[in-house]
Amino acid sequence: MKTKTFALIGAKLGMLATTGAIALAAVPANAQAPAALPIEAYGALPALEEAVISRSGAYTAMLMTANNQRQILVVDSSGAPVKQFVVGDAKVRGIDWVGDEAILLRRTETDTVAYGAGQNKGEWARANVLPLDDNRDVVSIFAEQRSIANFVAGFDGIREVEGRWKGFFRGYRMGRRSGEDRILHFRPALFSVDLSTGEAEQVAYPAGENEFRSWLVGDEGKIVATLFIDQKSGSWRIENEGGKTIVRDKQEEGRISLVGLDASGSSLIYRSYDDDLAETTYLTLPLAGGEPREVWADEEVHRLIHGDDGRVLGIVSRSREVMLSEGQENPALSELYAKWTAGDIDLESWTPDLSAVVFATSGNYDSGTWYRMDTTSGARAMLGLERPFVQGLAIGKIQTVEFEASDGLTIEAILTLPSGKEAKDLPVVVLPHGGPTSRDEEAFDWWAQAFASRGYAVIQPNFRGSTNIDDSFVEAGDGEWGGKMQTDIGDSLRALAERGIVDADRACIVGASYGGYSALAGVTIHQNGYRCAVGVNGVYDIEDFFRYELSGQSSILSRGIERLVGEGTNLDAISPTAQASKASAPVLLVHGRDDTVVPFAQSVLMEDALQDAGKPVTLIELKGEDHWLSQADSRTAMLKAAVAFVEKHNPAD
């Protein structure tokens, strides 16, 4: 399901002409705006966040939240409860089935680990195996193993090997230094872990200095392909199980990755960015060697449908077409996507034979609904609602609008309107997404809906650099931080104002992560007439944030950053901290104290710069919170503060 995008660049390596009238549903003269729900209804964690189906289809496991307590509820195919695991306030990042026997719980913790002569603070991943059988013990991956750090550096799937379930995890090797066990280096090895005992065996060595490695595990638990990338030059190669190089090339930013095996299991599928074509291509290549061949040409891949053995069963394209591999025909699944026109729909989980699937929907009158479907009969059953207290007319109308940017590029934006109000001269909140290589969709967004419930129209522009169209549109954002990416955002406001939907003189801008940057840039680098700006976990001093990547060391990471911000760009000119004296509106900064993606110091620097310039600013610290606002209490606290700040400086009535 769609979640609010806060990640920034993958956590480092994310005059107007209108295009015609917008079709807006008429509001009846006697329509009444529903009573506003409490902010907690929007800031709370979803009641149902994830659902995964077991290998045989006998069970479905659902990640749920009740009274701020995370739990996993297992039901059988009829929906009858089988097992419940209470996981408290754990920051759960995903659940997977271990056959039909157990749940693999993936979570993260903000922690400090020993490395070299000091300590490294990070958001470290951990994993636990929760058996359905009460007579079996819970297994913690890499726990109490002296030679492996007690956290997971990557997850490469689960395979059944000689009748036993094995999980393949990347981990960091430990060694003795100055009388203490410390991580040797941050280059992971690959381990096979027996998921019933926790016994770990190293099956692949870590990369060498200035090298990156990743692995593809086949259906028998063997490594069938290894990708090597030189992090200095971007040269890469793929070796098969026998150590033979079957393909090599160069991608200066390292945009190359293993995808899986084809349906037969005899060929590799990998993904690479073609600089000449300005697009991502998917290629297949026999594991024994041969000529690569492009697959899914001319298709924008939205979802890869993997089997549980590393094989790719097919894709869902961005145009909602289900394209399955030969021998995997499934008319019911194709028909589901073709006929579901009520809003956003996404395939979330499936059995290896696609006989049973879990899908989720979201959009107008739907704050998030999860279903299980038998694709043989077409029968479907509702598993649950994401936000049972936000339903029907409480959900602001959501639609996609188009406009032309000042240079003529067509831009899409998601527009959310307050219920019960005429779409005319509305007060507005501009809410740019994070990433920046991400997108907003025509789906329920808890943050946008919270503002809409208070009487605001909400504009979420998919500015150039967003991933809502194709790779060329993403590439159009290169070098445009603080430039055209930012003017696209201002153009979205002016376009809807020209159409009479919003009042540009009653606007605030709000965002998180890269969206936080956009919010502050909107009142410093560019003055778009906003009455206020709210930045959450944002980047405000570009040079400070990218200090290491832009230190002159040529690498795939530094070249990627230079492409995004623009090689040779004056970083002060695109940093809100350096432009603080131009701030044209009051600013609210909110930042998680345990943010390990964008340091809390970024907000401190922004606050100091605004105070030095004599500009109004407030900084709210969220203690114990991370970059993604993973906890309901601090998420709600942020939302209350942001809504109150906007209502103070830009009243809806």
Side-chain angles (χ1 to χ4, degrees):
M1 282 299 293
K2 179 183 182 293
T3 56
K4 194 74 187 166
T5 303
F6 281 52
L8 188 88
I9 324 171
K12 293 194 185 180
L13 72 248
M15 186 161 322
L16 261 178
T18 60
T19 57
I22 306 173
L24 295 176
V27 179
N30 61 350
Q32 295 292 318
L37 296 170
I39 289 296
E40 286 84 354
Y42 303 93
L45 297 175
L48 174 55
E49 190 170 346
E50 185 176 3
V52 293
I53 197 164
S54 69
R55 179 183 173 93
S56 70
Y59 304 116
T60 304
M62 297 182 288
L63 176 62
M64 311 181 78
T65 300
N67 298 320
N68 283 344
Q69 292 292 305
R70 314 298 294 279
Q71 54 188 273
I72 300 169
L73 177 65
V74 179
V75 299
D76 64 19
S77 58
S78 71
V82 173
K83 183 79 174 179
Q84 182 183 38
F85 301 97
V86 177
V87 295
D89 58 358
K91 294 191 284 188
V92 181
R93 304 305 185 191
I95 55 176
D96 302 274
W97 275 97
V98 180
D100 282 11
E101 304 168 9
I103 302 294
L104 178 68
L105 170 69
R106 293 179 283 113
R107 58 192 176 84
T108 66
E109 297 176 3
T110 307
D111 204 353
T112 303
V113 300
Y115 171 65
Q119 301 284 321
N120 276 60
K121 185 177 182 180
E123 192 72 18
W124 306 108
R126 291 189 166 91
N128 305 94
V129 181
L130 312 177
L132 268 60
D133 184 349
D134 290 334
N135 295 315
R136 287 178 50 190
D137 293 332
V138 172
V139 173
S140 296
I141 306 302
F142 297 154
E144 299 178 1
Q145 300 203 33
R146 190 169 175 181
S147 62
I148 313 171
N150 186 22
F151 56 88
V152 173
F155 175 51
D156 289 83
I158 297 171
R159 305 287 185 268
E160 189 175 19
V161 181
E162 297 178 351
R164 300 187 70 84
W165 291 104
K166 301 289 183 75
F168 291 83
F169 300 90
R170 303 181 197 193
Y172 295 125
R173 299 188 301 176
M174 302 283 286
R176 198 80 175 162
R177 289 184 181 178
S178 304
E180 286 189 72
D181 291 328
R182 294 180 177 272
I183 295 172
L184 296 175
H185 51 70
F186 284 107
R187 300 191 299 275
L190 183 65
F191 296 87
S192 170
V193 180
D194 188 313
L195 297 179
S196 62
T197 66
E199 181 180 351
E201 175 190 4
Q202 183 174 322
V203 293
Y205 287 102
E209 191 77 26
N210 294 318
E211 182 188 63
F212 170 83
R213 289 185 194 178
S214 64
W215 302 273
L216 179 60
V217 181
D219 53 5
E220 297 179 353
K222 296 180 180 179
I223 299 172
V224 296
T226 304
L227 170 64
F228 302 81
I229 305 176
D230 185 315
Q231 296 198 71
K232 289 290 187 182
S233 67
S235 295
W236 61 266
R237 73 184 192 280
I238 298 175
E239 291 184 359
N240 63 14
E241 182 181 350
K244 174 186 175 183
T245 296
I246 56 175
V247 63
R248 64 170 70 239
D249 208 334
K250 185 175 182 178
Q251 214 299 318
E252 289 200 341
E253 294 176 21
R255 291 195 272 178
I256 164 78
S257 60
L258 301 173
V259 172
L261 298 173
D262 71 354
S264 71
S266 62
S267 291
L268 167 73
I269 299 176
Y270 65 97
R271 172 175 48 214
S272 180
Y273 187 79
D274 189 312
D275 289 305
D276 294 330
L277 297 176
E279 66 181 24
T280 299
T281 57
Y282 289 80
L283 301 110
T284 182
L285 173 69
L287 288 169
E291 283 296 318
R293 177 177 58 84
E294 187 175 357
V295 290
W296 309 312
D298 303 321
E299 294 293 338
E300 288 293 321
V301 177
H302 169 70
R303 166 78 76 181
L304 287 161
I305 306 175
H306 275 99
D308 62 353
D309 54 4
R311 303 188 191 198
V312 178
L313 305 178
I315 66 166
V316 179
S317 72
R318 192 164 291 164
S319 60
R320 287 186 169 187
E321 184 178 359
V322 178
M323 305 173 66
L324 299 179
S325 304
E326 187 175 352
Q328 301 290 331
E329 290 78 11
N330 195 305
L333 193 57
S334 298
E335 186 174 305
L336 173 67
Y337 267 89
K339 292 189 174 181
W340 195 279
T341 58
D344 188 48
I345 181 171
D346 216 351
L347 192 63
E348 300 289 346
S349 180
W350 48 87
T351 57
D353 62 359
L354 297 178
S355 62
V357 302
V358 169
F359 67 94
T361 65
S362 174
N364 287 306
Y365 305 107
D366 182 2
S367 59
T369 309
W370 290 73
Y371 299 87
R372 172 175 167 142
M373 183 174 80
D374 182 324
T375 62
T376 303
S377 66
R380 66 181 70 148
M382 189 175 76
L383 294 171
L385 302 173
E386 289 193 21
R387 298 181 184 276
F389 301 111
V390 187
Q391 295 295 321
L393 293 176
I395 300 173
K397 181 176 174 57
I398 312 161
Q399 59 196 285
T400 300
V401 298
E402 285 188 356
F403 61 92
E404 284 189 7
S406 51
D407 64 354
L409 184 66
T410 299
I411 306 291
E412 291 181 348
I414 306 301
L415 174 64
T416 302
L417 296 171
S419 293
K421 286 196 172 186
E422 184 182 3
K424 181 179 180 181
D425 294 331
L426 292 168
V428 59
V429 171
V430 181
L431 185 62
H433 61 69
T437 47
S438 181
R439 66 182 180 275
D440 283 308
E441 299 172 335
E442 201 171 297
F444 183 93
D445 182 296
W446 57 271
W447 205 348
Q449 290 290 337
F451 279 110
S453 74
R454 267 57 191 171
Y456 297 92
V458 181
I459 304 170
Q460 296 173 277
N462 283 319
F463 45 82
R464 68 192 72 202
S466 302
T467 57
N468 60 307
I469 299 179
D470 55 26
D471 286 330
S472 63
F473 189 78
V474 175
E475 198 169 76
D478 291 353
E480 294 297 343
W481 278 48
K484 291 180 179 178
M485 291 169 74
Q486 194 67 32
T487 57
D488 288 346
I489 295 169
D491 289 345
S492 71
L493 174 61
R494 285 189 287 275
L496 294 184
E498 286 184 357
R499 300 175 197 186
I501 299 168
V502 303
D503 182 349
D505 292 329
R506 292 196 293 157
C508 284
I509 183 167
V510 180
S513 194
Y514 178 83
Y517 166 82
S518 295
L520 270 294
V523 296
T524 56
I525 301 165
H526 301 269
Q527 286 83 36
N528 293 109
Y530 299 114
R531 290 188 173 186
C532 65
V534 180
V536 179
N537 293 352
V539 173
Y540 310 118
D541 190 311
I542 306 299
E543 184 174 7
D544 180 79
F545 183 66
F546 290 126
R547 187 177 303 280
Y548 174 77
E549 289 80 7
L550 300 176
S551 62
Q553 301 182 31
S554 179
S555 68
I556 58 176
L557 181 56
S558 63
R559 286 191 290 273
I561 300 301
E562 286 178 349
R563 174 179 57 82
L564 288 170
V565 302
E567 187 174 0
T569 295
N570 178 354
L571 299 182
D572 280 351
I574 61 170
S575 292
T577 50
Q579 305 298 321
S581 63
K582 300 178 182 177
S584 56
V587 169
L588 172 66
L589 302 171
V590 184
H591 212 121
R593 198 64 180 86
D594 286 346
D595 188 342
T596 59
V597 175
V598 178
F600 180 77
Q602 282 285 310
S603 284
V604 174
L605 289 171
M606 190 72 244
E607 180 192 35
D608 288 346
L610 288 167
Q611 287 179 339
D612 289 346
K615 303 295 183 177
V617 58
T618 301
L619 171 58
I620 295 177
E621 173 185 347
L622 300 176
K623 293 183 179 179
E625 188 51 273
D626 59 28
H627 188 66
W628 304 276
L629 302 182
S630 299
Q631 301 170 58
D633 289 346
S634 53
R635 180 181 290 195
T636 299
M638 177 283 296
L639 200 52
K640 283 184 174 180
V643 170
F645 190 77
V646 170
E647 288 181 325
K648 175 182 177 180
H649 296 285
N650 185 32
D653 297 317

